[in-house]
Amino acid sequence: VRCSLAGGIRAPRVAIARSRSRERAAAEEMAATRGGAPEWRFFQVFGEEQPDGAGVEDIQEADLLSALDFDETGNYLATGDRGGRIVVFERATPDEQQLTPDDQRPCPAAALRAKEKAQYRFLTEFQSHEPEFDFLKSLEIEEKINSMRWCKGTMGCKMLLSTNDKTIKLWKVYGKKIKTVSNMNIEPRNGCAGGPAAVMRGRGLRLPLMATCERVVTATPKRTFANAHAYHINSVALCSDGESFLSCDDLRLNLWNLRDAKRRSAHSSSPRLSPPLGPIRASLPPPPCRCCFNIVDVKPANMEALSKVLTSADFHPIDCHTFLYSSSRGCVRLGDMRAAALCDASAKSFEEPEDPATKSFFSEITSSIASARFSRDGRNIVTRDYLSVRIWDVRVETRPLKTIAMHEHLRPKLCDLYEKDCIFDKFECCFNHNATHVLTGSYQNRFHLLSADGSTPDLALEASQTPYRRASAPPLYSAADLPPDFSRRVLHTAFHPQHNVAAIAATSTLYIMNGT
């Protein structure tokens, strides 16, 4: 029987202790070559681990993780899956942990060390999206969570933005008190309430009281942003002002207001329709959204001339007017909303010319950027396509600061990967809190920790309780010794916003790694 993601840590304490001892021994062997890089160790696991050589056939498709995101404090972690469910984890406070004597000393270093050791625990789970059917287009809309972003909450509540292919929802996650009536006048007797005599035997009438019996964490939808995207939504990004966000589909980029999800009537400026025209009005397309404004539109007048699609978007972490969006042509464009209302003409364009020696039939597919993100200071950009990771300086458009080959050993096997549809896998990437390392995924449950400045060696670790068991530097294996199963892959990763803590989504299992 599979363990659900919401079930918490399933590994026994003895097994975790033994795995950590083996991991420590393997990590010490690599300490000489690691230099000043953090030592990454297994921290927590949620879900059931897959044994070596096992595929994902026994895993239900609805349980596969499809999105990860930390909030701005790092105390909350949200995961979304293909079944439309969202699971929220909360980091326990240091006073709720069993601290060592060194961590109990009253000094700032001990307090920071105790905070880094605090573990995550299950908080709540809710169904964000349901499967739908578009009858006009005869199209099924999956419930899969494509992207999530935490928003700024108020009054102790957390706000979470999630989206599937068509609909964006804003959820409020908060603690709710369950109250019950106590101090009743009529006491139950033999399973039923007593008669009037039961009241008379007391000392008179008592005033019933409302008492809190328990406190639960629940989620309720606050707003729904729909009917604005004709194509599949691939990402959402929150603005630094906390008032707006971006949503990106294949051909358009929309700007939304978080506080307003109402729609303007399609006939608000025209006289009221007479009753005979009521059925005609009901058959009209959905009215446009008042809180949505289109800022990028790459749809050509003739769809046969379509040459690129949008793949991802991100807001600048500091400047609320600056954003980026990537395309399937391997180009990242920087837009400035102060220059024009429609930002089709980008302020900057980051693109590296392709080497003619490596150009092939599959170049257009492998050059498509799956993920593009700003660093937390807004000075750098990291992009990930199928074969490489590139780190850019926002001040230099001509060439990237660093290019790291990821799947170069797979280049001779691109035809086989195309037949298996593995060449279309979208691997995410992100910076850590101080932009010194980049985190991204790969096959065989591997994840890469890449040095942004080249001061430390790059690492390829395994998402397991012993990450250094097969630790190596890229490439992971030669082209003649390819893994038989490409279904065990790490597509989604996330870094803690303040510490060296990484969340790894390996199929249906969530791993949390700690760098010390």
Side-chain angles (χ1 to χ4, degrees), residues 394-412:
V394 296
R395 298 166 295 183
V396 181
E397 306 176 49
T398 56
R399 64 186 185 280
L401 293 178
K402 187 177 182 180
T403 301
I404 305 154
M406 298 301 301
H407 293 156
E408 194 67 24
H409 52 286
L410 299 180
R411 192 179 291 273

Side-chain angles (χ1 to χ4, degrees), residues 139-193:
L139 180 66
E140 292 184 1
I141 303 175
E142 296 182 354
E143 65 272 27
K144 171 190 171 185
I145 305 297
N146 293 336
S147 181
M148 293 186 309
R149 287 293 180 268
W150 285 97
C151 305
K152 296 180 180 179
T154 57
M155 303 296 292
C157 301
K158 304 297 295 184
M159 308 298 291
L160 183 63
L161 202 65
S162 64
T163 180
N164 65 349
D165 289 340
K166 296 293 183 180
T167 306
I168 307 171
K169 294 183 179 181
L170 180 64
W171 291 88
K172 177 182 178 182
V173 182
Y174 62 100
K176 181 179 180 182
K177 296 180 181 179
I178 304 299
K179 296 184 178 182
T180 183
V181 180
S182 62
N183 198 26
M184 297 290 291
N185 289 285
I186 300 178
E187 299 178 357
R189 184 180 60 183
N190 297 329
C192 59

Side-chain angles (χ1 to χ4, degrees), residues 27 29-40 391 402 404-406 432 436-439 447-461 468 471-475 495:
E29 296 179 0
M30 301 185 64
T33 60
R34 191 174 57 249
E39 178 183 340
W40 292 92
I391 301 174
K402 187 177 182 180
I404 305 154
M406 298 301 301
N432 66 337
T436 58
H437 288 82
V438 172
L439 176 64
F447 64 95
H448 295 258
L449 291 163
L450 310 174
S451 176
D453 54 3
S455 59
T456 57
D458 300 335
L459 287 179
L461 306 180
Y468 285 91
S472 63
F495 253 129

Side-chain angles (χ1 to χ4, degrees), residues 73-150:
T73 63
N75 295 329
Y76 294 89
L77 171 63
T79 64
D81 58 24
R82 290 179 175 267
R85 300 181 299 265
I86 292 180
V87 181
V88 180
F89 300 92
E90 179 187 26
R91 198 169 196 177
T93 57
D95 54 354
E96 297 175 345
Q97 299 281 330
Q98 294 182 357
L99 305 180
T100 62
D102 293 338
D103 295 335
Q104 293 177 353
R105 296 176 183 176
C107 65
L112 179 61
R113 186 165 53 249
K115 186 176 181 180
E116 292 179 351
K117 291 182 179 179
Q119 292 187 340
Y120 287 88
R121 60 190 178 187
F122 170 77
L123 184 64
T124 186
E125 177 182 3
F126 59 94
Q127 187 74 28
S128 175
H129 289 76
E130 298 284 352
E132 301 176 5
F133 188 81
D134 190 342
F135 293 95
L136 294 178
K137 298 181 179 179
S138 297
L139 180 66
E140 292 184 1
I141 303 175
E142 296 182 354
E143 65 272 27
K144 171 190 171 185
I145 305 297
N146 293 336
S147 181
M148 293 186 309
R149 287 293 180 268
W150 285 97

